[in-house]
Each structure stands twice: as C-alpha cells, then as structure tokens.
Amino acid sequence: MKKIIFFSCLYLAGLANLKAQQAPANLLLLNNYTYTSKHRLVGEIHSANSVQDKSGFILKGQNAKFFHIRKNNQLFIRKNAASSDAQWFDLTVSSLTGESSYFRIVNNRFINNKVIAHRGSWKNTKSPENSIASLQHAILQGCEGSEFDVHMSVDSVLYINHDPKIQGVEIETVSSDNLSKILLSNSEVLPTLRAYLEEGLKQNRTKLILEIKSSVISKERSLALTEKVLQLVREIKAQAWITYISFDYDILKRVLEVDPFAKVAYLGGEKNPASLAADKFYGLDYNYAIFQNKVNWIKEAHANNLTVNAWTVNDPKIMDWMLANKLDFITTNEPELLLKKVGEKLADK
Ligand code: MG
C-alpha cells in the first residue's frame, strides 16, 4: 500500500511538473513578430498567464525608442526605424505586474515563392540531408522555407536528423557528449537545433520549417521535446522565422498551449480543414496525393484562413498541378526545378 501511495505521489508530482512547464511564468507573447516600412503594426502583446489581457505594458532596452504601444496593446514600430536597413530590432516588453519577455522584431523581407526545401537543399548540392550546409544552400537559392527534423537526446539536447537513429545510434537513448562526436558525410558535426537555428537567424529571407518528431519511447518524451523546442525558440528569439509541423497532433496542440500564436501545420493528412481551423492551426501540410484526391480541401482551407502545403513534390508534372491549384507552399527535394518553374510562371503574367 505504501508503495502504491509513493508511486502515486511520484506520478502526481510528474503531472504537476508537466503542467507547470505548459505556461512558463512571467511570459509575454506577441501574435506577430514582423513589420515592413508600409505595415508598421507589429502585433498585439498578450500575457500568457492571465485570462484577461491587461493594459500597462512597458518597452525597455536600447531599441525601446523605436517602438510604441497603442490601444488594445498593439505594438507599432516608428516610421524611421521601419524604413531603415535594419534586419531586426531586439525589444524587451514588461508588464506592470512583473512579467517580462524579449523579442526579435524582424524586417519582413521573407520570400514568397512557395518553395520549401525538404531537409534543406541537399540533393543537387551534394550536401547531407538536414545538415547546416543544406540549410545554407536553401537560403542561398532563395527558397521561401527550409524544412528540418528535430529529435532529443537522453539528456534533453535537441538534434537535427530525419530518422530516430543516425549511423546506428538511437538519438533518444544516447547523451549529447556522444552525439556531438558524430560527423556527417561532409565532416560537419551532427547539428544541434541551437546551431541550426542560429545559422537560420543570420538572415531574414528564408523561413525555418521545424518538424518535431515523435519520441519512439513515450508520449511524455514527445511533449517534453516539444517544450524544450519552444523554450529554445524563445531564448534565441526565433519566433518570426518558424512554422512548426508534426505528424503527432498532441505535439502540435502542446505547441499551441504554450504559444497560442505559433504557426502550426499538421502533416497527418486525415483531418479536414474545418477541424484544423477549429483548433487554431495555421495550415495543412499533407502528402500531395491527398490534395489531388480531395481538391475541394484546398478551397476549404483557404476559406478557413489556413495555408496549404504539399509534400514531397519532386515530379515536374505534379509541381505544375500544385502551382495551377494555388497551393501556398510546395515541399520538394528539387528546389532548383521548382524555383525555375515559379520564376517562369511569374514571367508569363
Ligand atoms: Mg521532415
């Protein structure tokens, strides 16, 4: 009996711990992180912990003078700052009750050409998939986004790799000391998520499409991984760059519990646009065959303000179909070919 009580207490403590991580203390949120010289409303400031949004936020730090808050907690960038060449401004926002967060407010020069490089641009550049080199190529080529996959080591460090194993090593069961000794075929070390995001944050043209992989071990580890990802994204102020994708619906729901304004797209394929919209998702990111079988889902998604992304489209004819049917994004191992097609389409107009 004593044993049962002991383990029940452990279980409850575990649950309490998980719950505490869902809504980090002293956290403020923004519902958008970008501006242009013409569109100077950045977004609204929200408190993650209070049910009712209060007014009374204060801007701090050396860039505070470039911003101001108007009614409904709307954050605006001032005209001179918005029309400067700056790539971004870091800004601290505090509430009168002691909550405080810092944000990177980014000049929106993000590309709109639909092309998402799948695991980076690796195939024709002869780079390893999911390497920092493949990310750099996607950026240099001018892709709208570059996709990559995230796993977590036994000591909770996040790594970029497609499969749960690399070179026979199961990422989840090995420590970061050992994982960081693994070299990819181009002699790059197995990238951590931190190194990967830091590379992506050197620019503001290509977005980062972050796939959270389910744990092979347990749902708890999948959710712990998700929280680690969000923690790191907050720490290095990467929010403006990121869309989260996953085949695991619980992972994406957890993302939205922690940051209700995060851009989240589901990979699974079986949920209709209305149900994703009801759960406040950003988009559908499905196998291309699903859209060819259910063409009406494209219109339904757009009517529900959802974005539509198809993977993994490598065949030129299927690329043409996706472009003709007005998908928002197309994920491909052949970004060079798709960039060419998008360029030709623009020239025809
Ligand atoms: Mg992936």
Side-chain angles (χ1 to χ4, degrees):
M1 184 66 188
K2 264 186 188 166
K3 237 182 190 173
I4 293 172
I5 293 172
F6 175 74
F7 283 114
S8 305
C9 286
L10 269 188
Y11 176 73
L12 287 174
L15 276 187
N17 192 29
L18 268 182
K19 202 152 183 136
Q21 286 173 25
Q22 275 179 38
N26 305 322
L27 180 65
L28 298 177
L29 300 167
L30 276 176
N31 66 353
N32 186 57
Y33 295 84
T34 58
Y35 65 88
T36 65
S37 58
K38 290 202 177 88
H39 191 83
R40 293 192 288 118
L41 167 62
V42 176
E44 290 155 22
I45 306 164
H46 292 264
S47 166
N49 297 323
S50 65
V51 183
Q52 270 184 327
D53 274 323
K54 49 191 173 257
S55 51
F57 294 109
I58 309 157
L59 305 179
K60 292 181 177 169
Q62 60 175 6
N63 293 325
K65 58 183 178 289
F66 299 134
F67 294 87
H68 59 112
I69 301 170
R70 287 199 203 154
K71 60 177 184 193
N72 302 324
N73 301 321
Q74 289 183 320
L75 177 70
F76 283 81
I77 184 165
R78 294 186 190 279
K79 207 171 184 176
N80 287 352
S83 43
S84 79
D85 280 340
Q87 282 183 296
W88 50 73
F89 296 96
D90 288 344
L91 179 68
T92 300
V93 183
S94 299
S95 74
L96 295 176
T97 50
E99 296 155 308
S100 190
S101 288
Y102 55 103
F103 303 113
R104 181 156 291 177
I105 311 296
V106 181
N107 194 344
N108 189 352
R109 291 183 180 148
F110 290 107
I111 296 163
N112 290 302
N113 62 17
K114 303 177 187 283
V115 181
I116 310 294
H118 180 234
R119 307 179 198 170
S121 180
W122 54 272
K123 192 177 166 200
N124 302 308
T125 66
K126 313 269 183 272
S127 310
E129 296 176 6
N130 273 318
S131 62
I132 286 186
S134 72
L135 169 64
Q136 288 168 333
H137 283 297
I139 291 168
L140 275 174
Q141 288 170 354
C143 296
E144 174 154 353
S146 189
E147 188 261 2
F148 50 94
D149 307 284
V150 181
H151 297 266
M152 185 169 76
S153 69
V154 73
D155 54 342
S156 304
V157 178
L158 303 165
Y159 284 90
I160 309 300
N161 194 56
H162 181 263
D163 297 336
K165 281 186 180 179
I166 179 154
Q167 298 171 16
V169 175
E170 202 164 328
I171 294 173
E172 280 198 81
T173 62
V174 175
S175 75
S176 52
D177 281 354
N178 290 317
L179 289 168
S180 291
K181 287 180 195 144
I182 292 178
L183 297 184
L184 307 183
S185 62
N186 63 347
S187 304
E188 207 180 281
V189 291
L190 177 68
T192 59
L193 177 62
R194 182 183 288 272
Y196 215 84
L197 293 182
E198 281 172 352
E199 186 63 32
L201 263 62
K202 291 178 181 169
Q203 51 83 48
N204 56 337
R205 287 170 51 78
T206 298
K207 290 214 171 170
L208 305 171
I209 315 301
L210 190 160
E211 180 173 350
I212 304 179
K213 289 290 190 187
S214 297
S215 163
V216 176
I217 298 168
S218 67
K219 183 67 88 178
E220 282 70 23
R221 267 187 69 81
S222 294
L223 299 179
L225 188 172
T226 305
E227 284 163 9
K228 276 272 167 200
V229 168
L230 287 157
Q231 206 177 15
L232 179 63
V233 167
R234 266 200 310 278
E235 183 196 325
I236 64 172
K237 306 184 289 284
Q239 293 98 327
W241 281 261
I242 291 180
T243 300
Y244 298 93
I245 58 175
S246 187
F247 282 97
D248 186 328
Y249 208 71
D250 296 329
I251 283 178
L252 295 175
K253 296 266 279 187
R254 178 57 58 91
V255 171
L256 289 172
E257 280 165 17
V258 176
D259 181 356
F261 308 112
K263 288 178 177 161
V264 160
Y266 180 52
L267 296 168
E270 82 285 8
K271 296 215 180 244
N272 66 31
S275 64
L276 292 180
D279 281 337
K280 311 276 184 235
F281 276 46
Y282 173 69
L284 297 71
D285 190 346
Y286 290 171
N287 183 290
Y288 66 83
I290 289 179
F291 296 118
Q292 291 188 315
N293 289 329
K294 293 180 174 163
V295 185
N296 58 320
W297 276 14
I298 301 167
K299 273 195 179 149
E300 275 176 50
H302 288 154
N304 279 288
N305 280 325
L306 293 162
T307 57
V308 185
N309 187 347
W311 51 266
T312 301
V313 183
N314 302 323
D315 180 309
K317 286 205 177 72
I318 301 173
M319 284 181 185
D320 291 339
W321 192 94
M322 297 294 151
L323 290 171
N325 282 280
K326 300 194 168 23
L327 267 74
D328 301 289
F329 315 111
I330 301 164
T331 302
T332 179
N333 293 335
E334 305 280 355
E336 298 87 347
L337 175 62
L338 185 55
L339 283 165
K340 195 165 164 260
K341 281 186 177 291
V342 171
E344 284 164 3
K345 214 164 184 273
L346 278 177
D348 285 349
K349 276 186 183 168

